[in-house]
Amino acid sequence: MTSKTRAMANAVPMTNVTISDAAELLRTGHLVALPTETVYGLGANALDDTAVAKIYAAKNRPQFNPLIVHLPDIFEVSKYAVMDPRAQQIAEAFWPGPLSLVLTRTDTCALSPLVSAGLETVALRVPASESASRLLRAADVPVAAPSANKSGMLSPTEAQHVADAFGDEVAIVLDDGPCAVGLESTVLDLSTDQATLLRAGGISLEDLTEVLDKPVAIAGHDDFAPKSPGMLSRHYAPQTPLRMNAENREDGEAVLGFGSPVTGEHANLSPTGDLVEAAANLFRMLHALDADGHSGIAVRPIPEDGLGSAINDRLRRAELG
Ligand code: TXA
Ligand code: MG
């Protein structure tokens, strides 16, 4: 079988039956490619750490960039993020639509910390396309979905692009024809007082400024912009000093294991040495160890292959402090 025919096999037209199949696959932790009005997304249940880790594994990204979480309607948003009057105003004006808002996670936010790459914020979007809404309603879980392309490739605007790129790595590709907007959503950060455009997209800066009635900073351009897109200068790092490739434990340190448990370990990313499981546990375990008041966190060696390079990238940044 050529890779093309293998890839073709899992792109299916959207019907009541395929939507309900895809919804069940999402709920049970599988990857589902879904059409939105902007581009096709590579979706996973955002409440499920392992499902979210599978997105990073499939995309082949060497880093954990935070992901956009898709919700069926505006009423779901306050379950997960703090909606101040400014966010409310923007949401009412542009949702459903091609706009993602970076907001502060609520204290009780049940979304996997991996969708936020460990940060205190989360990007949320209520897509406008009928097909995306139908799937989100059927799935009844929030869906984390980056653009469904391999790292470094163009965002896909047709189901066939996704099927060609991912083949069997995705359980099902729902085909609803070409995306209407064909350009990713605008990403607006409202997690700080200064509203900041992190990525230009389907909704224009002028439209946002008009509704906010205040200037919007552009990340990477304006000195007063707190963050830059892509580079994401703000990374999650524990307060506790961290040491990688630790072969021993020093006094007062917590040991974060990987693979066969060693004596005195405080947590283990994956006792079986599974990198997807390790990614799923990474931020949750770092947060927990950080809160425990150890003098340091010693992390056992993690191989550089597959998701290991993204895990090590994050640990390296944490090690630098
Ligand atoms: O149109 C879209 O937005 C598509 C469809 C599928 O919805 N999704 C998409 O996702 O383009 P992705 O992962 O390719 O891009 C997400 C962007 C990245 O630039 C990421 O850094 C930013 O959103 N982002 C996500 N969460 C963030 C956060 N908590 N803080 C800052 N930036 C965030
Ligand atoms: Mg992308």
Side-chain angles (χ1 to χ4, degrees):
M1 211 167 31
T2 65
S3 63
K4 189 115 192 175
T5 50
R6 195 193 63 167
M8 286 288 287
N10 58 17
V12 295
M14 288 195 91
T15 65
N16 287 340
V17 172
T18 57
I19 287 177
S20 113
D21 287 349
E24 182 60 18
L25 285 164
L26 278 172
R27 277 193 300 272
T28 51
H30 298 273
L31 296 185
V32 166
L34 64 144
T36 81
E37 74 276 26
T38 57
V39 298
Y40 277 78
L42 184 66
N45 179 353
L47 303 172
D48 179 340
D49 294 323
T50 306
V52 177
K54 286 181 190 167
I55 293 179
Y56 289 102
K59 281 204 58 126
N60 235 342
R61 252 184 195 167
Q63 288 161 353
F64 292 115
N65 287 343
L67 306 173
I68 296 169
V69 175
H70 299 71
L71 301 169
D73 59 63
I74 192 169
F75 306 109
E76 295 277 304
V77 173
S78 52
K79 281 191 197 166
Y80 306 111
V82 181
M83 285 285 267
D84 62 16
R86 185 183 53 162
Q88 195 72 42
Q89 214 177 354
I90 286 282
E92 275 164 22
F94 300 106
W95 277 345
L99 175 71
S100 300
L101 294 182
V102 174
L103 301 170
T104 303
R105 293 169 65 112
T106 56
D107 291 339
T108 54
C109 179
L111 299 173
S112 167
L114 201 51
V115 303
S116 299
L119 297 170
E120 282 166 17
T121 56
V122 62
L124 298 173
R125 175 159 109 81
V126 179
S129 84
E130 186 52 30
S131 45
S133 310
R134 279 170 72 197
L135 176 64
L136 289 169
R137 273 195 209 97
D140 201 26
V141 291
V143 173
S147 50
N149 52 285
K150 295 271 179 179
S151 180
M153 309 301 278
L154 284 179
S155 292
T157 52
E158 289 179 29
Q160 194 55 49
H161 300 164
V162 185
D164 286 345
F166 290 94
D168 292 347
E169 286 178 289
V170 50
I172 191 169
V173 179
L174 291 177
D175 188 350
D176 191 36
C179 301
V181 177
L183 174 76
E184 288 112 327
S185 64
T186 300
V187 181
L188 180 69
D189 185 353
L190 294 179
S191 69
T192 61
D193 286 344
Q194 174 61 60
T196 304
L197 185 77
L198 298 183
R199 180 176 75 184
I203 301 285
S204 76
L205 181 63
E206 291 71 24
D207 289 347
L208 294 171
T209 311
E210 194 179 318
V211 171
L212 281 171
D213 202 20
K214 271 193 189 156
V216 174
I218 302 172
H221 287 78
D222 297 330
D223 287 346
F224 54 104
K227 291 172 209 166
S228 45
M231 286 159 54
L232 210 87
S233 46
R234 249 183 31 177
H235 286 286
Y236 165 72
Q239 298 292 308
T240 314
L242 182 143
R243 196 160 66 82
M244 294 174 71
N245 298 313
E247 298 289 356
N248 62 326
R249 172 177 176 271
E250 284 168 15
D251 255 7
E253 273 184 340
V255 175
L256 180 57
F258 176 83
S260 301
V262 294
T263 40
E265 214 170 72
H266 293 72
N268 192 306
L269 290 167
S270 170
T272 60
D274 175 347
L275 289 162
V276 173
E277 183 184 16
N281 285 327
L282 180 68
F283 293 109
R284 196 178 296 287
M285 288 183 176
L286 285 178
H287 275 292
L289 292 178
D290 198 21
D292 275 353
H294 302 280
S295 63
I297 301 172
V299 187
R300 303 267 301 139
I302 295 167
E304 274 290 334
D305 43 272
L307 271 182
S309 55
I311 295 171
N312 283 321
D313 167 74
R314 187 43 47 107
L315 293 172
R316 224 168 277 128
R317 293 169 196 274
E319 193 174 46
L320 294 172

